[in-house]
Amino acid sequence: MSETDKLQEKQKLPIGFMDSGLGGLSVLREAVKLMPKEDFIYYGDSLHAPYGVKPQAEIRELTFAVVKKLLDMGIKGLAVACNTATSAAVTESHGGRILVMATPMTLKQEKFQNLLAKYREQADIVPVQCDGLMEFVEHGDLDGQELDDYFAEKLSPVLTDDTESIVLGCTHYPFLKKELRHFLGDRDIHLIDGSLGTSRELMRRLKVQGLLRTDDHKGKVRIMNSSGRQELIDLSLKLLNLPDYE
Ligand code: DGL
């Protein structure tokens, strides 16, 4: 087989996505819009969710196991759609307060701590540990009083008049945006999530390697979940909300 044939074969492979559960679907949702010709396999490890409160070694082990599964199935690229980077948002600051909502593990990470140290002078960055929040998405509870009460408990103590943005530092949180807006009322606060940025970067990297499909294929999305529960697959499809996809 010639090099060109090999590359063309590889272009036909799906792109893998993984997350501790359903959160990475917020990133996948953007990726399918950007790359409609591509096939995707999404693996949600809901059986072991949440990752964000587990020790690092255990998260690594769980992640590697899922990555191996996806590689064995044959993929041409992989997005680990978990613990989204928040640096872009922080560099956009206008001097006001920025709340960073994320899992305890993300906030503990060196990467985040370095970011905090780097921009401490420019912005008032306040980490908000949101243990228990991803569970709302995993249960399909995207609105309601209980969620509002959660936001009140976590955000009211740190929301100031000069709060300019809230970073949704976990891929589950974009699904809760509507209720968060409702909770914030008429406050002019920018909600920042990294899903589009992550998808654009994924596309850029595949393009550089010549791995994007160039044929007229209509992309498909396959959802897998370690829990083996059909209702989680159904909920995943509902969250993705892509009527044109199978
Ligand atoms: N969706 C994951 C993230 O982006 C976290 C959820 C979890 O705790 O497993 O951080």
Side-chain angles (χ1 to χ4, degrees):
M1 207 195 261
S2 74
E3 284 307 310
T4 325
D5 289 345
K6 269 193 214 157
L7 190 64
Q8 266 170 4
E9 276 308 299
K10 208 169 171 195
Q11 283 175 351
K12 289 184 186 147
L13 292 175
I15 301 170
F17 262 73
M18 75 152 294
D19 182 35
S20 57
L22 312 186
L25 293 162
S26 64
V27 185
L28 179 61
R29 193 169 55 167
E30 300 300 334
V32 293
K33 283 188 226 154
L34 285 175
M35 296 173 271
K37 289 181 180 178
E38 301 296 335
D39 290 338
F40 294 91
I41 303 182
Y42 181 92
Y43 193 97
D45 194 10
S46 295
L47 182 65
H48 301 109
Y51 278 12
V53 292
K54 292 188 166 62
Q56 194 166 332
E58 193 179 343
I59 298 175
R60 206 170 276 168
E61 211 173 288
L62 289 168
T63 307
F64 287 166
V66 175
V67 170
K68 186 174 180 314
K69 256 189 208 112
L70 286 168
L71 288 174
D72 288 349
M73 280 188 256
I75 50 171
K76 63 179 176 185
L78 172 71
V80 179
C82 198
N83 298 327
T84 34
T86 54
S87 43
V90 176
T91 52
E92 273 170 26
S93 155
H94 296 104
R97 173 169 280 202
I98 299 176
L99 306 180
V100 180
M101 298 171 71
T103 66
M105 178 48 91
T106 296
L107 300 176
K108 247 192 277 165
Q109 289 287 317
E110 207 184 317
K111 196 167 155 195
F112 179 74
Q113 289 301 325
N114 289 343
L115 200 78
L116 208 60
K118 190 166 164 203
Y119 293 103
R120 186 155 277 149
E121 306 286 290
Q122 274 151 269
D124 173 23
I125 306 168
V126 180
V128 186
Q129 275 206 23
C130 289
D131 37 318
L133 186 52
M134 67 85 84
E135 281 83 345
F136 281 90
V137 178
E138 294 288 307
H139 299 147
D141 299 330
L142 309 184
D143 50 29
Q145 193 55 46
E146 209 183 318
L147 185 54
D148 242 36
D149 292 346
Y150 183 99
F151 288 141
E153 184 198 324
K154 292 286 178 177
L155 298 175
S156 296
V158 284
L159 261 180
T160 48
D161 287 344
D162 72 336
T163 299
E164 61 179 60
S165 347
I166 299 181
V167 175
L168 307 176
C170 162
T171 54
H172 280 78
Y173 304 165
F175 291 117
L176 305 172
K177 241 185 195 172
K178 213 167 132 202
E179 191 63 26
L180 181 55
R181 270 266 163 256
H182 175 254
F183 167 77
L184 294 170
D186 51 15
R187 283 191 182 87
D188 181 21
I189 295 179
H190 192 190
L191 299 185
I192 299 166
D193 84 71
S195 43
L196 183 57
T198 308
S199 298
R200 284 208 181 115
E201 178 60 14
L202 172 68
M203 183 163 84
R204 191 189 66 78
R205 290 192 190 196
L206 288 168
K207 194 170 174 193
V208 167
Q209 294 177 58
L211 287 176
L212 285 178
R213 287 187 87 124
T214 50
D215 54 3
D216 278 335
H217 182 73
K218 186 176 172 325
K220 290 192 280 297
V221 177
R222 177 173 172 203
I223 307 279
M224 299 176 74
N225 195 287
S226 56
S227 70
R229 289 165 51 202
Q230 184 57 38
E231 66 262 37
L232 283 184
I233 304 280
D234 295 343
L235 178 57
S236 299
L237 292 169
K238 192 175 146 205
L239 291 171
L240 261 183
N241 189 21
L242 296 168
D244 291 348
Y245 278 75
E246 303 171 356

